[in-house]
Amino acid sequence: MFVPERLLMGPGPSNSPPRVLSAGGRQLIGHIHKEMIEIMDEIKVGIQYAFQTQNPLTLAVSGTGHCAMEAALLNVVEEGDKVLIGVNGYWGERATDIAKRLGAEVYQLVKEPGEHFTLEEIEKALLQHAPVLFFITHGESSTGVMQPLDGLGNLCHRYNCLLLIDAVASLGGAPILMDQQGIDILYSGSQKVLSAPPGACPISFSERARKKIYARKTKPVSFYLDMEELTKYWGCDGHPRKYHHTAPINTFFCLREALAILAETGLENSWKLHKENSLYLCSGLQKLGFKLFVKDLNARLPTVNTVFVPEGYNWKEITEYTMKNHGIEVSGGLGPSAGKVLRIGLMGYNSTKFNVDRVLHALEDALQHCLKNKL
Amino acid sequence: MFVPERLLMGPGPSNSPPRVLSAGGRQLIGHIHKEMIEIMDEIKVGIQYAFQTQNPLTLAVSGTGHCAMEAALLNVVEEGDKVLIGVNGYWGERATDIAKRLGAEVYQLVKEPGEHFTLEEIEKALLQHAPVLFFITHGESSTGVMQPLDGLGNLCHRYNCLLLIDAVASLGGAPILMDQQGIDILYSGSQKVLSAPPGACPISFSERARKKIYARKTKPVSFYLDMEELTKYWGCDGHPRKYHHTAPINTFFCLREALAILAETGLENSWKLHKENSLYLCSGLQKLGFKLFVKDLNARLPTVNTVFVPEGYNWKEITEYTMKNHGIEVSGGLGPSAGKVLRIGLMGYNSTKFNVDRVLHALEDALQHCLKNKL
């Protein structure tokens, strides 16, 4: 099996630190052995810290980011429920697709890629559609936008609406305070700032969201992702554990270590580090002549940085050049940003000044080389 | 993080060989890098070999066994479809639950735990209910029963019914010939005979099953497990790959190596080895005074061996004793067999005479010790 060495500076996955990788290579134990239960308890506490929440219904879903998105939606949404979805990039469209499959009545609140939503815009849509759930992406990795969250929870609750936040690309890289910000459902991924392999996703539900789940008229369409069942498996109700499914044991080992590293670093340090390195990168990119895609400085995602593809260049030539000649992954756009932007990730283990210098050097080289080819 | 050394001789997971574990500890690459696509192609070929099929729609689902069961059912079944489910243990009940969540009209064909189904019984039920899908478990790990598969495909097809087989606990341990036996949908797990960590599941669909999927009136309830989307992601249609979700990269590394080991061993050798070690174990268990739970010798699953809990003993005392004093996992029953049986797994890397001797020694010790406690 050939696995090359790569510096992963795209929108994820990130490289994993040795401590996390070595956890993934440990010999297995049973999924309901008491030592595994302890590891799952530690994961739960680690997620509660990372999310800044006291919610008992906090656990890791046994799948990757899309799986967590489905878990969030299918537990809360019943057929015919009105759902409002903020769409300013790829992830809102994806959530729309999933909510429609569940039979929800979906309304989209749309903004241009690169923009974010104001409280006024959201309030207008809540008033107009009276949804039971509002979905919005905190870190829009397809565009590099970070949605401000303050005030959003209170606003939604005033309209009897639950607030669901996708923080796959942002958790640990920028402040999210689940309880304080009144977020009802929050999920993230393992392969971004946490820098663990993909395959397990942190998720948490507020008491308000839990009540909606437990008051369902119908069972959720998935047994694998049914939160009432997972509550028993993860011991979120304080009762002895009940077998539900075989968890991805080694992936949980990795997630446990990744959450421990985040806790040892401290959330505030992690946020500060991601911000500093992002500013350092953006300043370097501008010196190379790149134009930043997100205009509002306060709405720039520090984990996934987006710049316009410079005029006259083909994005694919640039990303292929850095991959081939520097072993560095830099990404093109996704969905509405495809063909327009380059995306440079700075997440967790990979968010260092040293890596910023490496990626800037590779991009400088790519710009020179790809231009030379053209002349 | 504390992870003890354990010999996992329950119904799964099994221990993983060093080659598989070391693959899991490799540094990540991107989920759509060309080297990853190659690894996914190798996984596909490995599954085609393990399943003995030429089906182009063959891939690994990014989740554990229950997730594969859902993927199998939710792609094929539409609301109102009639589904017949063979129930002779835990897995038929689980499939029933999932099919009902999907809005199927479910009929159960029930036998006592420890028994299997005859072609006559199945034909009678097909005639009575006219289902579009028949679900049956090849290796019923809750009871230790192996369902004979010969003739089943033809029978189902005569009644315009698709045949769906759960081979989570049996694949690689006993013959399954997907194409030759006319199986339409087949899935398995990674953590049993393949001896890889859980988190990725082989699955395959025949042309007949693929046609039913592509003729759906509604989209499947899950985007994550939608086979039309996964077909594009895995390149099963021969077209360039399309991003769908972030695969569990390291888990795929492990699965790739596990499938390679099975191919290098050879299916026939693997089947022979599992049968021999199972017979050796069963003979040793009988010498210790255990009575085998499955009466029909031809319907005994070589991978998960079941014996009655000896009279006067508490199953939990025995399993806790072997765990505490020998570091060996032996399991109690599950679902209908709970409290009645002990389950001893012999799967893949763990299916060796040396391990049989170890588990027999531990059980002998447990019987003596637990008895002494009683006197």
Side-chain angles (χ1 to χ4, degrees):
Chain A
M1 185 172 66
F2 174 61
V3 182
E5 286 289 322
R6 291 272 159 75
L7 179 60
L8 302 174
M9 304 293 277
S14 317
N15 294 95
S16 291
R19 176 174 167 188
V20 169
L21 288 176
S22 107
R26 298 286 294 269
Q27 185 53 269
L28 282 79
I29 53 174
H31 51 292
I32 43 175
H33 290 185
K34 81 174 174 13
E35 296 82 1
M36 192 66 212
I37 303 279
E38 276 162 30
I39 288 168
M40 288 166 74
D41 281 341
E42 288 160 359
I43 288 174
K44 195 157 48 171
V45 172
I47 298 171
Q48 284 173 329
Y49 171 71
F51 281 8
Q52 291 289 290
T53 184
Q54 302 292 324
N55 293 333
L57 184 34
T58 300
L59 51 84
V61 161
S62 300
T64 61
H66 270 101
C67 189
M69 186 188 272
E70 289 203 352
L73 287 164
L74 71 82
N75 276 285
V76 173
V77 174
E78 287 196 88
E79 209 173 330
D81 274 351
K82 289 183 186 176
V83 175
L84 177 68
I85 296 178
V87 180
N88 58 341
Y90 188 78
W91 302 108
E93 291 293 359
R94 188 55 64 233
T96 301
D97 178 307
I98 292 171
K100 281 187 179 167
R101 287 171 190 253
L102 297 168
E105 199 177 314
V106 180
Y107 300 94
Q108 289 190 332
L109 177 61
V110 180
K111 292 215 77 166
E112 285 297 302
E115 296 185 359
H116 64 275
F117 300 91
T118 65
L119 287 175
E120 290 69 31
E121 289 162 347
I122 295 165
E123 179 159 19
K124 211 177 130 191
L126 290 171
L127 198 59
Q128 190 185 344
H129 302 298
V132 298
L133 181 73
F134 176 50
F135 171 99
I136 198 163
T137 310
H138 184 228
E140 232 311 340
S141 63
S142 71
T143 62
V145 165
M146 184 165 66
Q147 172 65 39
L149 298 178
D150 283 336
L152 212 44
N154 281 342
L155 177 64
C156 287
H157 298 158
R158 272 211 305 283
Y159 290 89
N160 279 317
C161 175
L162 296 171
L163 175 60
L164 162 52
I165 304 280
D166 175 314
V168 171
S170 58
L171 179 77
I176 308 171
L177 309 159
M178 186 170 191
D179 290 355
Q180 195 180 310
Q181 290 172 326
I183 300 168
D184 294 299
I185 305 122
L186 180 63
Y187 64 88
S188 188
S190 59
Q191 76 275 17
K192 310 276 181 169
V193 172
L194 288 173
S195 301
C201 284
I203 195 166
S204 180
F205 295 82
S206 72
E207 181 55 24
R208 209 181 251 110
R210 204 193 63 81
K211 274 189 186 153
K212 170 123 174 57
I213 294 173
Y214 278 71
R216 289 181 67 100
K217 292 182 292 287
T218 54
K219 279 189 184 183
V221 290
S222 169
F223 170 81
Y224 190 60
L225 302 174
D226 183 331
M227 282 301 148
E228 280 201 58
E229 299 287 341
L230 286 168
T231 289
K232 294 175 205 158
Y233 180 42
W234 280 80
C236 298
D237 53 3
H239 293 123
R241 310 305 173 98
K242 199 184 142 196
Y243 166 68
H244 175 258
H245 72 283
T246 304
I249 297 164
N250 296 53
T251 310
F252 278 6
F253 290 169
C254 295
L255 180 60
R256 190 266 180 214
E257 292 300 89
L259 287 162
I261 291 171
L262 180 63
E264 287 160 19
T265 307
L267 272 176
E268 300 210 345
N269 288 331
S270 182
W271 298 334
K272 188 163 165 276
L273 192 83
H274 281 84
K275 187 162 191 178
E276 280 171 6
N277 290 332
S278 172
L279 290 172
Y280 181 55
L281 171 70
C282 289
S283 141
L285 288 167
Q286 287 174 305
K287 278 182 203 146
L288 292 179
F290 285 104
K291 290 202 176 81
L292 303 181
F293 182 68
V294 180
K295 287 181 196 81
D296 186 343
L297 179 67
N298 294 314
R300 275 187 204 138
L301 185 59
T303 49
V304 181
N305 304 272
T306 45
V307 290
F308 285 99
V309 178
E311 222 167 310
Y313 285 89
N314 178 324
W315 69 272
K316 216 174 155 67
E317 255 183 73
I318 296 175
T319 59
E320 282 175 0
Y321 185 88
T322 64
M323 180 77 96
K324 193 176 161 196
N325 297 282
H326 297 266
I328 296 178
E329 176 184 44
V330 165
S331 272
L334 176 70
S337 67
K340 289 183 203 162
V341 304
L342 292 174
R343 297 185 294 163
I344 300 123
L346 283 176
M347 297 190 275
Y349 182 58
N350 282 356
S351 180
T352 65
K353 288 215 160 164
F354 180 72
N355 285 343
V356 171
D357 289 335
R358 277 188 68 186
V359 78
L360 287 172
H361 172 68
L363 284 170
E364 186 175 18
D365 189 23
L367 289 183
Q368 281 172 4
H369 175 87
C370 299
L371 197 58
K372 270 186 209 145
N373 271 355
K374 279 220 161 39
L375 295 174
Chain B
M1 186 173 66
F2 173 62
V3 181
E5 286 290 322
R6 291 272 158 75
L7 179 61
L8 303 174
M9 304 293 277
S14 317
N15 294 95
S16 291
R19 177 174 167 189
V20 169
L21 289 175
S22 109
R26 298 287 293 268
Q27 185 53 269
L28 282 79
I29 53 174
H31 51 293
I32 42 174
H33 290 186
K34 80 173 173 17
E35 296 83 359
M36 192 67 211
I37 303 279
E38 276 162 30
I39 288 169
M40 289 166 74
D41 281 340
E42 288 159 359
I43 288 174
K44 195 158 46 170
V45 172
I47 297 172
Q48 285 172 329
Y49 172 71
F51 282 7
Q52 291 289 291
T53 184
Q54 302 291 324
N55 293 333
L57 184 36
T58 299
L59 51 82
V61 162
S62 299
T64 60
H66 270 101
C67 190
M69 185 189 274
E70 289 202 353
L73 287 164
L74 71 81
N75 276 285
V76 173
V77 174
E78 287 196 88
E79 208 174 330
D81 274 351
K82 289 183 185 174
V83 175
L84 177 68
I85 296 179
V87 180
N88 57 343
Y90 189 77
W91 302 107
E93 291 293 358
R94 190 51 70 231
T96 300
D97 179 306
I98 293 171
K100 281 188 178 167
R101 286 170 191 254
L102 297 169
E105 200 177 313
V106 180
Y107 300 95
Q108 289 191 333
L109 177 60
V110 181
K111 291 216 78 165
E112 285 298 302
E115 295 185 359
H116 64 277
F117 299 90
T118 64
L119 287 175
E120 291 68 32
E121 289 161 347
I122 295 165
E123 179 159 18
K124 210 175 133 192
L126 291 172
L127 197 60
Q128 190 184 346
H129 303 298
V132 297
L133 181 72
F134 175 50
F135 172 98
I136 199 164
T137 309
H138 184 226
E140 232 311 340
S141 63
S142 71
T143 61
V145 165
M146 183 166 66
Q147 173 65 39
L149 298 178
D150 283 336
L152 212 44
N154 282 341
L155 176 64
C156 287
H157 298 156
R158 272 212 305 281
Y159 289 90
N160 279 319
C161 175
L162 295 172
L163 175 61
L164 162 51
I165 303 279
D166 175 315
V168 170
S170 57
L171 180 76
I176 308 171
L177 308 159
M178 186 170 190
D179 289 355
Q180 195 180 309
Q181 291 172 325
I183 301 168
D184 294 299
I185 305 122
L186 180 63
Y187 65 88
S188 188
S190 58
Q191 76 275 18
K192 310 277 181 168
V193 172
L194 288 172
S195 301
C201 285
I203 196 166
S204 181
F205 294 82
S206 71
E207 181 54 23
R208 207 181 254 109
R210 204 192 63 81
K211 275 190 185 151
K212 170 122 173 60
I213 295 173
Y214 278 70
R216 289 181 66 99
K217 292 183 292 286
T218 55
K219 279 189 185 183
V221 290
S222 169
F223 170 82
Y224 190 60
L225 302 175
D226 183 330
M227 282 301 148
E228 281 201 56
E229 299 287 341
L230 286 168
T231 289
K232 294 175 203 158
Y233 181 41
W234 281 80
C236 298
D237 53 3
H239 294 123
R241 310 305 172 99
K242 199 184 142 196
Y243 166 67
H244 175 258
H245 72 284
T246 303
I249 296 164
N250 296 53
T251 309
F252 278 7
F253 289 170
C254 295
L255 180 60
R256 190 266 180 214
E257 292 299 88
L259 288 163
I261 291 171
L262 180 62
E264 287 161 20
T265 307
L267 272 176
E268 298 208 348
N269 288 331
S270 182
W271 298 335
K272 187 162 166 275
L273 193 82
H274 281 84
K275 186 161 191 180
E276 280 171 7
N277 290 332
S278 172
L279 289 173
Y280 180 56
L281 171 71
C282 288
S283 138
L285 288 167
Q286 286 173 306
K287 276 181 205 147
L288 291 180
F290 285 103
K291 289 203 176 81
L292 303 181
F293 182 68
V294 180
K295 288 183 194 80
D296 185 344
L297 179 68
N298 293 315
R300 274 185 207 141
L301 186 59
T303 49
V304 181
N305 304 272
T306 45
V307 290
F308 284 99
V309 178
E311 220 166 312
Y313 284 89
N314 178 324
W315 69 271
K316 216 173 155 66
E317 254 183 72
I318 296 174
T319 59
E320 282 175 1
Y321 185 88
T322 64
M323 180 77 95
K324 192 175 162 200
N325 297 283
H326 296 266
I328 295 178
E329 176 184 44
V330 165
S331 272
L334 177 70
S337 67
K340 289 184 205 163
V341 303
L342 292 174
R343 297 185 293 163
I344 301 124
L346 283 177
M347 298 190 274
Y349 182 57
N350 282 356
S351 179
T352 65
K353 287 216 160 164
F354 181 72
N355 285 343
V356 172
D357 288 335
R358 277 188 68 186
V359 80
L360 286 173
H361 172 68
L363 283 170
E364 185 175 17
D365 189 24
L367 289 184
Q368 280 171 4
H369 176 87
C370 298
L371 198 58
K372 270 185 210 148
N373 271 354
K374 279 221 162 40
L375 294 176

